[in-house]
Coordinates of all heavy atoms in Angstrom, one line a residue:
M1 N 0.8 -1.2 0.1 CA 0.0 0.0 0.0 C 0.9 1.2 0.0 O 0.6 2.2 -0.7 CB -0.9 0.0 1.2 CG -1.8 1.2 1.3 SD -3.1 1.3 -0.1 CE -4.1 -0.1 0.5
A2 N 1.9 1.2 0.9 CA 2.8 2.4 0.9 C 3.5 2.7 -0.5 O 3.6 3.8 -0.9 CB 3.9 2.2 2.0
G3 N 3.8 1.6 -1.2 CA 4.5 1.7 -2.4 C 3.5 2.4 -3.5 O 3.8 3.1 -4.4
M4 N 2.1 1.9 -3.3 CA 1.1 2.5 -4.2 C 1.0 3.9 -4.0 O 0.6 4.7 -4.9 CB -0.1 1.7 -4.0 CG 0.0 0.3 -4.4 SD -1.6 -0.6 -4.1 CE -2.7 0.2 -5.2
I5 N 1.2 4.4 -2.7 CA 1.0 5.8 -2.4 C 2.2 6.6 -2.9 O 2.0 7.7 -3.4 CB 0.7 6.0 -0.9 CG1 -0.6 5.4 -0.4 CG2 0.8 7.5 -0.5 CD1 -0.7 5.3 1.1
V6 N 3.3 6.1 -2.7 CA 4.5 6.8 -3.0 C 4.6 7.1 -4.6 O 4.9 8.1 -5.1 CB 5.8 6.1 -2.6 CG1 7.0 6.7 -3.1 CG2 5.8 6.2 -1.0
A7 N 4.3 6.0 -5.3 CA 4.4 6.1 -6.8 C 3.6 7.2 -7.4 O 4.2 8.0 -8.2 CB 4.0 4.7 -7.4
P8 N 2.3 7.4 -7.1 CA 1.6 8.6 -7.6 C 2.2 9.9 -7.2 O 2.2 10.9 -8.0 CB 0.1 8.4 -7.0 CG 0.0 7.0 -6.7 CD 1.4 6.5 -6.3
R9 N 2.7 9.9 -6.0 CA 3.4 11.2 -5.6 C 4.6 11.5 -6.5 O 4.8 12.6 -6.8 CB 3.8 11.0 -4.1 CG 2.7 11.2 -3.1 CD 3.1 11.0 -1.7 NE 2.1 11.1 -0.7 CZ 2.2 11.0 0.6 NH1 3.4 10.7 1.1 NH2 1.1 11.1 1.4
R10 N 5.4 10.5 -6.7 CA 6.5 10.7 -7.6 C 6.0 11.1 -9.0 O 6.7 12.0 -9.6 CB 7.4 9.4 -7.8 CG 8.2 9.1 -6.4 CD 9.0 7.9 -6.6 NE 9.8 7.7 -5.4 CZ 10.6 6.6 -5.2 NH1 10.7 5.7 -6.2 NH2 11.2 6.5 -4.1
W11 N 5.0 10.4 -9.5 CA 4.5 10.8 -10.8 C 4.0 12.3 -10.8 O 4.2 13.1 -11.7 CB 3.4 10.0 -11.2 CG 3.9 8.7 -11.8 CD1 3.8 7.5 -11.4 CD2 4.4 8.6 -13.1 NE1 4.4 6.6 -12.2 CE2 4.8 7.3 -13.4 CE3 4.8 9.6 -14.2 CZ2 5.4 6.8 -14.6 CZ3 5.4 9.1 -15.4 CH2 5.7 7.8 -15.6
A12 N 3.4 12.7 -9.7 CA 2.9 14.1 -9.6 C 4.0 15.1 -9.5 O 4.0 16.1 -10.2 CB 2.0 14.3 -8.3
A13 N 5.1 14.7 -8.8 CA 6.2 15.6 -8.7 C 6.9 15.7 -10.1 O 7.3 16.8 -10.5 CB 7.3 15.0 -7.8
R14 N 7.0 14.6 -10.8 CA 7.6 14.7 -12.2 C 6.7 15.5 -13.2 O 7.2 16.2 -14.0 CB 7.9 13.3 -12.7 CG 9.0 12.5 -11.9 CD 9.1 11.1 -12.2 NE 10.3 10.6 -11.5 CZ 10.5 9.2 -11.4 NH1 9.8 8.4 -12.3 NH2 11.4 8.8 -10.6
L15 N 5.4 15.3 -13.0 CA 4.5 16.2 -13.9 C 4.6 17.7 -13.6 O 4.7 18.5 -14.4 CB 3.0 15.7 -13.6 CG 2.6 14.4 -14.3 CD1 1.2 14.0 -13.9 CD2 2.7 14.4 -15.8
A16 N 4.8 17.9 -12.2 CA 5.0 19.4 -11.8 C 6.3 19.9 -12.4 O 6.4 21.0 -12.9 CB 4.9 19.5 -10.4
A17 N 7.3 19.0 -12.3 CA 8.7 19.4 -12.9 C 8.6 19.6 -14.4 O 9.1 20.5 -15.0 CB 9.7 18.3 -12.7
A18 N 7.8 18.7 -15.1 CA 7.5 18.9 -16.5 C 6.9 20.3 -16.8 O 7.2 21.0 -17.8 CB 6.8 17.8 -17.0
A19 N 6.0 20.7 -15.9 CA 5.3 22.1 -16.1 C 6.3 23.2 -16.0 O 6.3 24.1 -16.8 CB 4.2 22.2 -15.1
G20 N 7.2 23.0 -15.0 CA 8.3 24.0 -14.9 C 9.2 24.0 -16.1 O 9.5 25.1 -16.6
L21 N 9.4 22.9 -16.7 CA 10.3 22.8 -17.9 C 9.5 23.5 -19.1 O 10.1 24.0 -20.0 CB 10.6 21.3 -18.2 CG 11.7 20.7 -17.3 CD1 11.9 19.2 -17.7 CD2 13.0 21.4 -17.5
L22 N 8.3 23.3 -19.1 CA 7.5 23.9 -20.2 C 7.6 25.4 -20.1 O 7.8 26.0 -21.2 CB 5.9 23.5 -20.1 CG 5.0 24.1 -21.1 CD1 5.4 23.6 -22.4 CD2 3.6 23.7 -20.8
V23 N 7.6 26.0 -18.9 CA 7.8 27.4 -18.8 C 9.2 27.8 -19.3 O 9.3 28.8 -20.0 CB 7.7 27.9 -17.3 CG1 8.1 29.3 -17.1 CG2 6.3 27.7 -16.8
T24 N 10.2 27.0 -19.0 CA 11.5 27.2 -19.6 C 11.6 27.2 -21.1 O 12.2 28.0 -21.7 CB 12.5 26.1 -19.0 OG1 12.4 26.2 -17.5 CG2 13.9 26.4 -19.5
V25 N 10.9 26.2 -21.7 CA 10.9 26.1 -23.1 C 10.3 27.3 -23.7 O 10.8 27.8 -24.7 CB 10.3 24.8 -23.6 CG1 10.0 24.8 -25.0 CG2 11.0 23.5 -23.1
V26 N 9.2 27.7 -23.2 CA 8.5 28.9 -23.7 C 9.4 30.2 -23.6 O 9.5 30.9 -24.6 CB 7.2 29.2 -22.9 CG1 6.6 30.5 -23.3 CG2 6.1 28.1 -23.2
A27 N 10.1 30.3 -22.5 CA 11.1 31.4 -22.3 C 12.2 31.3 -23.4 O 12.6 32.3 -23.9 CB 11.7 31.4 -20.9
L28 N 12.6 30.1 -23.7 CA 13.6 29.9 -24.7 C 13.2 30.3 -26.1 O 13.9 30.9 -26.9 CB 14.2 28.5 -24.7 CG 15.1 28.1 -23.5 CD1 15.3 26.6 -23.5 CD2 16.4 28.9 -23.5
L29 N 11.9 30.0 -26.3 CA 11.4 30.3 -27.7 C 11.2 31.7 -27.9 O 11.4 32.3 -29.0 CB 10.0 29.6 -27.8 CG 10.1 28.0 -27.9 CD1 8.7 27.4 -28.0 CD2 10.8 27.6 -29.1
I30 N 10.9 32.5 -26.8 CA 10.7 33.9 -27.0 C 11.9 34.7 -26.9 O 12.0 35.9 -27.0 CB 9.6 34.5 -26.0 CG1 10.1 34.4 -24.6 CG2 8.3 33.8 -26.2 CD1 9.3 35.1 -23.6
A31 N 13.1 34.0 -26.6 CA 14.3 34.7 -26.4 C 14.8 35.2 -27.8 O 14.7 34.6 -28.7 CB 15.4 33.7 -25.8
P32 N 15.3 36.5 -27.8 CA 15.8 37.0 -29.0 C 17.1 36.4 -29.5 O 17.9 35.9 -28.6 CB 16.0 38.5 -28.7 CG 16.3 38.5 -27.2 CD 15.5 37.4 -26.6
A33 N 17.4 36.4 -30.7 CA 18.7 35.8 -31.2 C 19.7 37.0 -31.3 O 19.6 37.7 -32.3 CB 18.5 35.1 -32.6
T34 N 20.5 37.1 -30.3 CA 21.4 38.3 -30.3 C 22.9 37.8 -30.5 O 23.3 36.8 -29.9 CB 21.5 39.0 -28.9 OG1 21.0 38.1 -27.9 CG2 20.7 40.2 -29.0
P35 N 23.6 38.5 -31.3 CA 25.0 38.1 -31.6 C 25.9 38.3 -30.4 O 25.6 39.2 -29.6 CB 25.5 39.0 -32.7 CG 24.6 40.2 -32.6 CD 23.3 39.7 -32.1
A36 N 27.0 37.5 -30.2 CA 27.8 37.7 -29.1 C 28.6 39.0 -29.3 O 29.0 39.4 -30.4 CB 28.9 36.6 -29.1
S37 N 28.8 39.8 -28.2 CA 29.4 41.0 -28.2 C 29.9 41.3 -26.8 O 29.9 40.6 -26.0 CB 28.4 42.0 -28.8 OG 28.2 43.1 -28.3
A38 N 30.4 42.6 -26.7 CA 30.9 43.1 -25.4 C 30.4 44.4 -25.0 O 29.5 44.9 -25.6 CB 32.5 43.0 -25.5
H39 N 31.0 44.9 -23.9 CA 30.6 46.3 -23.6 C 30.8 47.2 -24.8 O 31.9 47.4 -25.3 CB 31.6 46.8 -22.5 CG 31.0 46.7 -21.1 ND1 30.7 45.5 -20.5 CD2 30.6 47.6 -20.2 CE1 30.3 45.7 -19.3 NE2 30.2 47.0 -19.1

């Protein structure tokens, strides 16, 4: 029973992590393509 409870929790944590990664991907997609440069 304990294993059955822990497994959904892990899946929930990984789904939440995937949501955070989705935010990251969106941020990467809207990032401008800027050439390398200096001051």
Side-chain angles (χ1 to χ4, degrees):
M1 180 66 69
M4 294 176 65
I5 294 174
V6 170
R9 286 180 179 174
R10 287 184 177 175
W11 275 108
R14 289 173 184 175
L15 285 174
L21 286 176
L22 181 61
V23 174
T24 301
V25 172
V26 171
L28 286 170
L29 291 175
I30 66 173
T34 22
S37 133
H39 263 64

